[in-house]
Amino acid sequence: GPELAGIIHSRHPSTAILYASGYSTEHVDEHVAGPEAPLLPKPYSLTQLAGKVREVLDARAAGPGERTAAADELPAETSW
């Protein structure tokens, strides 16, 4: 969770972090990552995972404040 993300960022500041959780978005925002952290709620499909990874990487490249297509707008496949 956030502890590991902090360690990763301290060693590799340019690394993007994506959280995946079965908890509600509100729970994760409040107790784990914060509202600005990218989150992929479980269950998710491979297409949704790939889309969210692309979204996080594109947002990092675009800079703060610019939004890309959301992974939850992609068609569902087999859930993980």
Side-chain angles (χ1 to χ4, degrees):
E3 185 177 336
L4 178 58
I7 292 168
I8 292 169
H9 272 287
S10 71
R11 295 180 184 172
H12 306 283
S14 63
T15 301
I17 302 294
L18 170 61
Y19 291 91
S21 178
Y23 288 106
S24 70
T25 302
E26 294 79 20
H27 176 84
V28 173
D29 288 352
E30 184 177 339
H31 299 285
V32 180
E36 298 300 314
L39 172 66
L40 181 60
K42 294 179 183 178
Y44 52 83
S45 69
L46 288 177
T47 301
Q48 289 169 317
L49 173 60
K52 191 65 169 184
V53 168
R54 171 67 10 213
E55 177 184 336
V56 169
L57 294 175
D58 288 349
R60 191 156 185 87
E66 295 188 34
R67 191 176 184 289
T68 59
D72 57 5
E73 296 169 2
L74 297 172
E77 290 180 357
T78 304
S79 296
W80 295 91

